[in-house]
Amino acid sequence: MTSGPPGYDRAMRVPSSTYRLQVNARFTLHDAAAALGYLHDLGADWVYLSPLLKAEPGSDHGYDVVDHAIIDPDRGGADGLAAVSAEAKRLGMGVLVDIVPNHMGIATPRENAWWWDVLLHGPSSDRADAFDIDWDAGGGRVRIPVLGDDGTAAVEVDTGEGVARYHDHVFPLADGTDDLEKQHYELVDWRRADNDLNYRRFFAVNTLAGVRVEDRPVFDASHVEIRRWFDDGLVDGLRVDHPDGLRDPAAYLDDLRGLTGGAYVLVEKILEPGEDLVATWATAGTTGYDVLGAIDRVLTAPAGQQPLTALETRLRGAALDWHELIHDTKRAVADGILGSEVRRVAREAGAGDDPSVLDALAELTACFPVYRSYLPDGRAYLGAAFSDARRRRPELVPTYDVLEPVLTDPAQPAALRFQQTSGAVMAKGVEDCAFYRTSRLTSLTEVGGDPGEWSLSVEEFHAAMAARQRERPDAMTTTSTHDTKRGEDVRARIAVLAEVPQLWTDALETLLSLAPVPDPSFGNLLWQAILGAWPASRERLHAYAEKAMREAGDRTSWTAPKPAYENAVHAAVDAAFRSPAVKAVLDDLLEHVVAPGWSNGISAKLVALTMPGVPDVYQGSELWEQSLVDPDNRRRVDYAVRREVLARVLAGDRPVLTSRLDDRGDAKLLVTQAALTLRRNLPHRFTTYRPVHARGEAAAHALAFDRGGVLTVATRLPVGLAARGWGQTVLPLPDGTWADLLTGREYAGEAPLHELLADYPVGLLIREGA
């Protein structure tokens, strides 16, 4: 049954599902309001909106807020949100909004009145306390890393307008001053950002400055518009971006609960395997990356692990030790792009720039097994990091003996600062680096996942879902987001390779010989992406290749690109379009993986929509979702096509799932509409979780569970199933007569799976009369 954690109010209004929309200048709040009728007919309960507050000019994503007091006019402004809210109320829907408390955009200082005032007045600014700046480290000035090789000689001081200009950058001049040395900021070479900055950033993004929401006046000022949303009844819930950047996430969530009156709140918290969300936090749960990994892995063939691992080993020239890899990538981040943050921890620990302390802190972040602790919660993770660091670096043991009492004491500023830093090191070292250096099966290298964890058995999946029903029944379930490295149906197709490892090995060898790249292991990653996203435009695949190889950072990088290496990789992408021999290999692969990939995709979708949790449908993913990493996954969605398909489904059409590459995914929309509508209309049938086990020779190919009168059955490992068939395998049914909403067939006692799953790889059964 449903209970929930101690810090969670079960009496609040909770959505049965959400549908995420990316709101920007091309798709405004007014467009969102116009789309609500379609979302409601699809079965979505709440609309889920990307950040709305005024952001940097031209921002497509909205995570670079420059003004907390207004909704971005480019996104539709206050009138736009009012229109969304009014239409949602008319339809009986709720509104969930993504908010960004951790940082503000400072790329265009004039657009951010708070930052402009800090640059103008320095520590005496009324907004100086809003930003996380170490004024002492900068000699009373904040360092801005914007200068190139032309340095300050290229800065124009305009006393008439009272500004300093450096190319497109404009900064204020303090009253009565006419030179840079008298400013409350110091313009420095961009390369000094790694070690010499004195303001906290979002990760290593110099144009996103950390905000001190732990200070109650700053919280109030930065949430003035969000408070209005709840005071005026415009919004029903919130999604909190990057809580790990906050000084005290628990206190922040308590403050937010007071502001919203106890509304539904989710946190974008990435949990490592085996890690639990802090039970006392005032939140319904995470945004779902943890369960995304579970869904993918229960659909991944265990038999593919050994051969695909052997392939990666051969391509790399040595076996990959994932945990050693991420230790080293995290260490490189701590020594490199996040060196400024590590140095600040050292200063707050009273060590200044002591090399042994800096070394010890960087090593400690590299050894940290999860994103961060929340002292006293997570103290064991900190202890494990100290143990591992001492083992690796015995010469630093005396330094760790001094640091450990400090970093384990939540009353110490350095301890709190270290917690904010370790998560950033993890994100940049693992998600944005190591994920691009491993390639054995890239469907497993997804946010919140550990590529070292290959698959889940059906029994392990059921145990995890039973626990989720008990502990976090209202947390979000997701399969695609604006941050996933690969869209859900890209991963679904790539996962097929675990069932055909020899086919992939042979094909990859041919591809690498026809279109050689300097790093064949990266070639493995690249060709998996091409296969998973195909058909994709050349422009999209070139953009992906550039981001992937630069994020990997071992052969080229964003700050020091290597043209020869990059040209070879781009030539391989071009070969997919220009070379008949390469195209023939791709075509043969697609012949083998498209149909089972579609099967995996629909299975994953129905499981996600009906398992414990609040399912989110990322914009457009009711049809095939074959996006790659951002910004590819934020492309505009064609809702005219989706309305057309939905109209036919609502008129009784049952689309055919084909094995063709050009299949649009109409059957996936049918499944999505049926499941979302059922969850919204009959929420009482989704309050329990009970495994249902198939019986017969192909039982291992079925995943089934009963939510309390609604039964999901999904196909897994479809290549192996196609080779053997369902035979006499049946699904024993709980008492009563059960109707499959996708086909209309009825069953009692048991359902022969060759019949139940004859049209679609999934079944959605409801017990009649319950």
Side-chain angles (χ1 to χ4, degrees), residues 546-597:
E546 178 182 81
K547 181 164 186 173
M549 58 183 156
R550 291 183 177 180
E551 293 282 70
D554 51 352
R555 302 294 186 103
T556 186
S557 68
W558 294 107
T559 56
K562 301 296 189 294
Y565 177 82
E566 295 195 359
N567 289 342
V569 172
H570 286 300
V573 173
D574 284 334
F577 297 89
R578 294 176 178 169
S579 167
V582 167
K583 190 66 167 60
V585 177
L586 273 179
D587 287 345
D588 182 65
L589 279 169
L590 290 163
E591 186 70 24
H592 286 86
V593 303
V594 167

Short mmCIF file of all heavy atoms in Angstrom, two decimals, residues 546-597:
data_model
loop_
_atom_site.label_atom_id
_atom_site.label_comp_id
_atom_site.label_asym_id
_atom_site.label_seq_id
_atom_site.Cartn_x
_atom_site.Cartn_y
_atom_site.Cartn_z
N GLU A 546 30.41 16.18 -32.47
CA GLU A 546 31.26 17.24 -31.91
C GLU A 546 31.12 17.30 -30.39
O GLU A 546 32.12 17.34 -29.66
CB GLU A 546 30.90 18.60 -32.50
CG GLU A 546 31.72 19.75 -31.92
CD GLU A 546 31.31 21.09 -32.48
OE1 GLU A 546 30.29 21.66 -32.01
OE2 GLU A 546 32.00 21.57 -33.40
N LYS A 547 29.89 17.29 -29.90
CA LYS A 547 29.70 17.37 -28.46
C LYS A 547 30.26 16.13 -27.76
O LYS A 547 30.93 16.25 -26.73
CB LYS A 547 28.22 17.54 -28.11
CG LYS A 547 27.97 17.65 -26.61
CD LYS A 547 26.60 18.19 -26.27
CE LYS A 547 26.47 18.40 -24.77
NZ LYS A 547 25.21 19.07 -24.40
N ALA A 548 30.01 14.95 -28.31
CA ALA A 548 30.44 13.73 -27.65
C ALA A 548 31.96 13.66 -27.54
O ALA A 548 32.50 13.33 -26.49
CB ALA A 548 29.90 12.51 -28.41
N MET A 549 32.67 13.98 -28.62
CA MET A 549 34.13 13.84 -28.55
C MET A 549 34.76 14.93 -27.69
O MET A 549 35.77 14.69 -27.02
CB MET A 549 34.75 13.79 -29.94
CG MET A 549 34.51 14.96 -30.84
SD MET A 549 35.28 14.66 -32.48
CE MET A 549 34.29 15.72 -33.51
N ARG A 550 34.16 16.12 -27.69
CA ARG A 550 34.72 17.19 -26.84
C ARG A 550 34.38 16.97 -25.37
O ARG A 550 35.19 17.30 -24.50
CB ARG A 550 34.22 18.54 -27.33
CG ARG A 550 34.80 18.93 -28.67
CD ARG A 550 34.36 20.32 -29.11
NE ARG A 550 34.98 20.69 -30.39
CZ ARG A 550 34.78 21.85 -31.01
NH1 ARG A 550 33.96 22.76 -30.46
NH2 ARG A 550 35.39 22.10 -32.15
N GLU A 551 33.22 16.43 -25.08
CA GLU A 551 32.90 16.12 -23.69
C GLU A 551 33.79 14.99 -23.17
O GLU A 551 34.21 15.01 -22.01
CB GLU A 551 31.43 15.72 -23.56
CG GLU A 551 30.44 16.83 -23.84
CD GLU A 551 30.29 17.83 -22.70
OE1 GLU A 551 31.23 18.60 -22.45
OE2 GLU A 551 29.23 17.84 -22.05
N ALA A 552 34.10 14.02 -24.03
CA ALA A 552 35.01 12.95 -23.62
C ALA A 552 36.34 13.54 -23.16
O ALA A 552 36.93 13.11 -22.17
CB ALA A 552 35.22 11.96 -24.76
N GLY A 553 36.83 14.50 -23.91
CA GLY A 553 37.97 15.30 -23.46
C GLY A 553 39.32 14.63 -23.50
O GLY A 553 40.30 15.23 -23.07
N ASP A 554 39.41 13.41 -24.03
CA ASP A 554 40.70 12.73 -24.02
C ASP A 554 41.48 12.89 -25.32
O ASP A 554 42.69 12.72 -25.34
CB ASP A 554 40.53 11.24 -23.69
CG ASP A 554 39.49 10.56 -24.57
OD1 ASP A 554 38.79 11.25 -25.33
OD2 ASP A 554 39.37 9.32 -24.49
N ARG A 555 40.80 13.23 -26.40
CA ARG A 555 41.48 13.43 -27.69
C ARG A 555 41.30 14.84 -28.23
O ARG A 555 42.07 15.28 -29.08
CB ARG A 555 40.94 12.44 -28.72
CG ARG A 555 41.06 10.95 -28.34
CD ARG A 555 42.50 10.49 -28.27
NE ARG A 555 42.61 9.06 -28.05
CZ ARG A 555 42.92 8.19 -29.01
NH1 ARG A 555 43.13 8.59 -30.25
NH2 ARG A 555 43.01 6.89 -28.74
N THR A 556 40.27 15.51 -27.78
CA THR A 556 39.99 16.89 -28.17
C THR A 556 39.13 17.49 -27.07
O THR A 556 38.68 16.77 -26.16
CB THR A 556 39.28 16.95 -29.54
OG1 THR A 556 39.15 18.31 -29.96
CG2 THR A 556 37.89 16.31 -29.47
N SER A 557 38.89 18.77 -27.10
CA SER A 557 38.08 19.39 -26.03
C SER A 557 37.49 20.70 -26.55
O SER A 557 37.85 21.19 -27.63
CB SER A 557 38.94 19.67 -24.80
OG SER A 557 39.89 20.69 -25.06
N TRP A 558 36.59 21.25 -25.75
CA TRP A 558 35.97 22.52 -26.11
C TRP A 558 36.99 23.66 -26.14
O TRP A 558 36.91 24.54 -27.00
CB TRP A 558 34.85 22.86 -25.12
CG TRP A 558 33.69 21.93 -25.17
CD1 TRP A 558 33.35 20.98 -24.26
CD2 TRP A 558 32.69 21.85 -26.21
NE1 TRP A 558 32.22 20.31 -24.64
CE2 TRP A 558 31.78 20.83 -25.83
CE3 TRP A 558 32.48 22.54 -27.40
CZ2 TRP A 558 30.69 20.48 -26.62
CZ3 TRP A 558 31.38 22.19 -28.18
CH2 TRP A 558 30.50 21.18 -27.80
N THR A 559 37.91 23.65 -25.21
CA THR A 559 38.85 24.77 -25.12
C THR A 559 40.12 24.56 -25.94
O THR A 559 40.84 25.52 -26.20
CB THR A 559 39.26 25.00 -23.64
OG1 THR A 559 39.78 23.79 -23.09
CG2 THR A 559 38.05 25.45 -22.83
N ALA A 560 40.38 23.32 -26.34
CA ALA A 560 41.57 23.03 -27.15
C ALA A 560 41.23 21.99 -28.20
O ALA A 560 41.70 20.84 -28.16
CB ALA A 560 42.73 22.55 -26.27
N PRO A 561 40.39 22.34 -29.18
CA PRO A 561 39.99 21.36 -30.20
C PRO A 561 41.17 20.91 -31.05
O PRO A 561 42.06 21.70 -31.35
CB PRO A 561 38.94 22.12 -31.02
CG PRO A 561 39.18 23.56 -30.75
CD PRO A 561 39.75 23.65 -29.38
N LYS A 562 41.16 19.64 -31.43
CA LYS A 562 42.21 19.05 -32.27
C LYS A 562 41.61 18.78 -33.65
O LYS A 562 40.90 17.78 -33.84
CB LYS A 562 42.74 17.77 -31.64
CG LYS A 562 43.33 17.94 -30.24
CD LYS A 562 44.56 18.84 -30.26
CE LYS A 562 45.29 18.86 -28.92
NZ LYS A 562 44.48 19.47 -27.85
N PRO A 563 41.88 19.65 -34.62
CA PRO A 563 41.22 19.54 -35.93
C PRO A 563 41.41 18.20 -36.62
O PRO A 563 40.46 17.66 -37.21
CB PRO A 563 41.85 20.68 -36.73
CG PRO A 563 42.28 21.68 -35.70
CD PRO A 563 42.71 20.87 -34.52
N ALA A 564 42.61 17.63 -36.57
CA ALA A 564 42.84 16.37 -37.28
C ALA A 564 41.95 15.26 -36.73
O ALA A 564 41.35 14.49 -37.50
CB ALA A 564 44.31 15.98 -37.18
N TYR A 565 41.86 15.17 -35.41
CA TYR A 565 41.02 14.15 -34.79
C TYR A 565 39.55 14.39 -35.12
O TYR A 565 38.82 13.48 -35.54
CB TYR A 565 41.23 14.15 -33.27
CG TYR A 565 40.34 13.18 -32.53
CD1 TYR A 565 40.68 11.83 -32.44
CD2 TYR A 565 39.16 13.60 -31.92
CE1 TYR A 565 39.87 10.93 -31.77
CE2 TYR A 565 38.34 12.71 -31.24
CZ TYR A 565 38.70 11.38 -31.17
OH TYR A 565 37.89 10.50 -30.51
N GLU A 566 39.11 15.63 -34.96
CA GLU A 566 37.70 15.94 -35.18
C GLU A 566 37.31 15.73 -36.64
O GLU A 566 36.21 15.26 -36.94
CB GLU A 566 37.39 17.36 -34.72
CG GLU A 566 37.56 17.55 -33.22
CD GLU A 566 36.93 18.82 -32.69
OE1 GLU A 566 36.38 19.59 -33.51
OE2 GLU A 566 36.98 19.05 -31.47
N ASN A 567 38.21 16.09 -37.56
CA ASN A 567 37.90 15.90 -38.98
C ASN A 567 37.69 14.44 -39.31
O ASN A 567 36.83 14.08 -40.13
CB ASN A 567 39.01 16.50 -39.84
CG ASN A 567 39.02 18.02 -39.78
OD1 ASN A 567 38.05 18.65 -39.39
ND2 ASN A 567 40.15 18.61 -40.17
N ALA A 568 38.49 13.57 -38.70
CA ALA A 568 38.33 12.13 -38.95
C ALA A 568 36.99 11.62 -38.45
O ALA A 568 36.33 10.80 -39.11
CB ALA A 568 39.48 11.37 -38.29
N VAL A 569 36.57 12.11 -37.28
CA VAL A 569 35.27 11.69 -36.75
C VAL A 569 34.14 12.22 -37.63
O VAL A 569 33.18 11.49 -37.95
CB VAL A 569 35.11 12.18 -35.29
CG1 VAL A 569 33.69 11.93 -34.79
CG2 VAL A 569 36.12 11.47 -34.38
N HIS A 570 34.24 13.47 -38.04
CA HIS A 570 33.19 14.02 -38.91
C HIS A 570 33.16 13.31 -40.26
O HIS A 570 32.09 13.16 -40.87
CB HIS A 570 33.40 15.53 -39.09
CG HIS A 570 33.03 16.32 -37.88
ND1 HIS A 570 31.77 16.31 -37.35
CD2 HIS A 570 33.76 17.15 -37.08
CE1 HIS A 570 31.72 17.10 -36.27
NE2 HIS A 570 32.92 17.62 -36.10
N ALA A 571 34.31 12.86 -40.72
CA ALA A 571 34.34 12.11 -41.98
C ALA A 571 33.57 10.80 -41.85
O ALA A 571 32.91 10.33 -42.80
CB ALA A 571 35.78 11.84 -42.39
N ALA A 572 33.64 10.18 -40.67
CA ALA A 572 32.88 8.95 -40.44
C ALA A 572 31.38 9.23 -40.48
O ALA A 572 30.60 8.45 -41.04
CB ALA A 572 33.27 8.34 -39.10
N VAL A 573 30.95 10.35 -39.90
CA VAL A 573 29.54 10.73 -39.97
C VAL A 573 29.13 10.93 -41.43
O VAL A 573 28.08 10.43 -41.88
CB VAL A 573 29.27 12.01 -39.15
CG1 VAL A 573 27.84 12.50 -39.38
CG2 VAL A 573 29.51 11.76 -37.67
N ASP A 574 29.96 11.64 -42.18
CA ASP A 574 29.64 11.86 -43.60
C ASP A 574 29.54 10.55 -44.36
O ASP A 574 28.72 10.41 -45.28
CB ASP A 574 30.71 12.75 -44.24
CG ASP A 574 30.57 14.22 -43.86
OD1 ASP A 574 29.43 14.63 -43.55
OD2 ASP A 574 31.57 14.94 -43.86
N ALA A 575 30.36 9.58 -43.98
CA ALA A 575 30.34 8.29 -44.68
C ALA A 575 28.99 7.60 -44.56
O ALA A 575 28.59 6.83 -45.45
CB ALA A 575 31.45 7.39 -44.13
N ALA A 576 28.29 7.85 -43.46
CA ALA A 576 26.96 7.25 -43.29
C ALA A 576 25.99 7.73 -44.37
O ALA A 576 24.99 7.06 -44.66
CB ALA A 576 26.42 7.55 -41.90
N PHE A 577 26.26 8.89 -44.96
CA PHE A 577 25.39 9.46 -45.98
C PHE A 577 25.97 9.30 -47.39
O PHE A 577 25.22 9.18 -48.35
CB PHE A 577 25.17 10.95 -45.69
CG PHE A 577 24.47 11.21 -44.39
CD1 PHE A 577 25.18 11.38 -43.21
CD2 PHE A 577 23.08 11.28 -44.33
CE1 PHE A 577 24.54 11.61 -42.00
CE2 PHE A 577 22.43 11.51 -43.13
CZ PHE A 577 23.15 11.67 -41.96
N ARG A 578 27.31 9.28 -47.49
CA ARG A 578 27.93 9.34 -48.81
C ARG A 578 28.44 8.00 -49.33
O ARG A 578 28.55 7.81 -50.53
CB ARG A 578 29.12 10.32 -48.76
CG ARG A 578 28.72 11.76 -48.53
CD ARG A 578 29.96 12.63 -48.40
NE ARG A 578 29.64 14.04 -48.22
CZ ARG A 578 30.51 14.97 -47.87
NH1 ARG A 578 31.78 14.64 -47.67
NH2 ARG A 578 30.14 16.23 -47.72
N SER A 579 28.80 7.10 -48.42
CA SER A 579 29.43 5.86 -48.84
C SER A 579 28.40 4.74 -49.02
O SER A 579 27.75 4.32 -48.05
CB SER A 579 30.47 5.42 -47.80
OG SER A 579 30.88 4.09 -48.03
N PRO A 580 28.25 4.23 -50.24
CA PRO A 580 27.31 3.10 -50.44
C PRO A 580 27.68 1.88 -49.61
O PRO A 580 26.78 1.17 -49.12
CB PRO A 580 27.46 2.81 -51.94
CG PRO A 580 27.94 4.08 -52.55
CD PRO A 580 28.85 4.69 -51.52
N ALA A 581 28.97 1.65 -49.40
CA ALA A 581 29.38 0.48 -48.61
C ALA A 581 28.98 0.64 -47.15
O ALA A 581 28.49 -0.31 -46.52
CB ALA A 581 30.89 0.28 -48.73
N VAL A 582 29.19 1.83 -46.62
CA VAL A 582 28.79 2.09 -45.23
C VAL A 582 27.27 2.02 -45.11
O VAL A 582 26.74 1.43 -44.16
CB VAL A 582 29.31 3.47 -44.77
CG1 VAL A 582 28.64 3.89 -43.46
CG2 VAL A 582 30.82 3.44 -44.60
N LYS A 583 26.59 2.59 -46.07
CA LYS A 583 25.12 2.57 -46.03
C LYS A 583 24.60 1.14 -46.08
O LYS A 583 23.60 0.81 -45.41
CB LYS A 583 24.57 3.38 -47.21
CG LYS A 583 23.07 3.62 -47.15
CD LYS A 583 22.68 4.50 -45.97
CE LYS A 583 21.26 4.99 -46.07
NZ LYS A 583 20.26 3.93 -46.10
N ALA A 584 25.27 0.28 -46.81
CA ALA A 584 24.84 -1.12 -46.89
C ALA A 584 24.97 -1.81 -45.53
O ALA A 584 24.10 -2.60 -45.14
CB ALA A 584 25.67 -1.86 -47.94
N VAL A 585 26.04 -1.51 -44.81
CA VAL A 585 26.22 -2.09 -43.47
C VAL A 585 25.13 -1.58 -42.53
O VAL A 585 24.51 -2.36 -41.78
CB VAL A 585 27.61 -1.77 -42.91
CG1 VAL A 585 27.76 -2.30 -41.48
CG2 VAL A 585 28.70 -2.34 -43.80
N LEU A 586 24.87 -0.29 -42.58
CA LEU A 586 23.82 0.28 -41.73
C LEU A 586 22.46 -0.32 -42.06
O LEU A 586 21.67 -0.65 -41.17
CB LEU A 586 23.77 1.80 -41.91
CG LEU A 586 24.68 2.66 -41.03
CD1 LEU A 586 24.50 4.14 -41.37
CD2 LEU A 586 24.39 2.42 -39.56
N ASP A 587 22.18 -0.44 -43.33
CA ASP A 587 20.88 -0.99 -43.74
C ASP A 587 20.71 -2.42 -43.22
O ASP A 587 19.61 -2.80 -42.77
CB ASP A 587 20.75 -0.97 -45.27
CG ASP A 587 20.52 0.43 -45.81
OD1 ASP A 587 20.20 1.32 -45.02
OD2 ASP A 587 20.70 0.62 -47.03
N ASP A 588 21.77 -3.20 -43.27
CA ASP A 588 21.68 -4.57 -42.77
C ASP A 588 21.45 -4.59 -41.27
O ASP A 588 20.63 -5.37 -40.76
CB ASP A 588 22.95 -5.34 -43.12
CG ASP A 588 22.89 -6.79 -42.66
OD1 ASP A 588 22.04 -7.54 -43.17
OD2 ASP A 588 23.66 -7.15 -41.75
N LEU A 589 22.16 -3.74 -40.56
CA LEU A 589 21.95 -3.65 -39.11
C LEU A 589 20.51 -3.25 -38.79
O LEU A 589 19.86 -3.84 -37.92
CB LEU A 589 22.91 -2.63 -38.50
CG LEU A 589 24.33 -3.07 -38.23
CD1 LEU A 589 25.21 -1.86 -37.89
CD2 LEU A 589 24.36 -4.06 -37.06
N LEU A 590 20.03 -2.25 -39.50
CA LEU A 590 18.67 -1.76 -39.24
C LEU A 590 17.64 -2.84 -39.50
O LEU A 590 16.63 -2.94 -38.80
CB LEU A 590 18.40 -0.51 -40.09
CG LEU A 590 19.18 0.74 -39.67
CD1 LEU A 590 19.17 1.79 -40.77
CD2 LEU A 590 18.61 1.33 -38.38
N GLU A 591 17.88 -3.66 -40.49
CA GLU A 591 16.98 -4.76 -40.79
C GLU A 591 16.82 -5.69 -39.58
O GLU A 591 15.74 -6.25 -39.35
CB GLU A 591 17.52 -5.55 -41.99
CG GLU A 591 16.60 -6.64 -42.48
CD GLU A 591 15.35 -6.10 -43.16
OE1 GLU A 591 15.37 -4.96 -43.65
OE2 GLU A 591 14.33 -6.83 -43.17
N HIS A 592 17.89 -5.80 -38.80
CA HIS A 592 17.87 -6.70 -37.63
C HIS A 592 17.38 -6.03 -36.35
O HIS A 592 16.85 -6.72 -35.47
CB HIS A 592 19.28 -7.26 -37.38
CG HIS A 592 19.70 -8.30 -38.37
ND1 HIS A 592 20.29 -7.98 -39.58
CD2 HIS A 592 19.61 -9.66 -38.35
CE1 HIS A 592 20.57 -9.09 -40.25
NE2 HIS A 592 20.17 -10.12 -39.53
N VAL A 593 17.57 -4.71 -36.21
CA VAL A 593 17.31 -4.09 -34.90
C VAL A 593 16.09 -3.19 -34.84
O VAL A 593 15.62 -2.87 -33.74
CB VAL A 593 18.55 -3.30 -34.42
CG1 VAL A 593 19.78 -4.19 -34.34
CG2 VAL A 593 18.82 -2.06 -35.27
N VAL A 594 15.56 -2.76 -35.97
CA VAL A 594 14.45 -1.80 -35.92
C VAL A 594 13.23 -2.39 -35.22
O VAL A 594 12.69 -1.81 -34.26
CB VAL A 594 14.09 -1.28 -37.32
CG1 VAL A 594 12.75 -0.54 -37.30
CG2 VAL A 594 15.18 -0.34 -37.82
N ALA A 595 12.76 -3.54 -35.69
CA ALA A 595 11.54 -4.13 -35.10
C ALA A 595 11.71 -4.44 -33.61
O ALA A 595 10.85 -4.06 -32.79
CB ALA A 595 11.12 -5.37 -35.87
N PRO A 596 12.77 -5.12 -33.20
CA PRO A 596 12.93 -5.34 -31.75
C PRO A 596 13.15 -4.05 -30.98
O PRO A 596 12.77 -3.96 -29.81
CB PRO A 596 14.13 -6.28 -31.65
CG PRO A 596 14.83 -6.21 -32.95
CD PRO A 596 13.79 -5.88 -33.97
N GLY A 597 13.71 -3.05 -31.64
CA GLY A 597 13.85 -1.75 -30.97
C GLY A 597 12.51 -1.10 -30.71
O GLY A 597 12.27 -0.53 -29.64
#
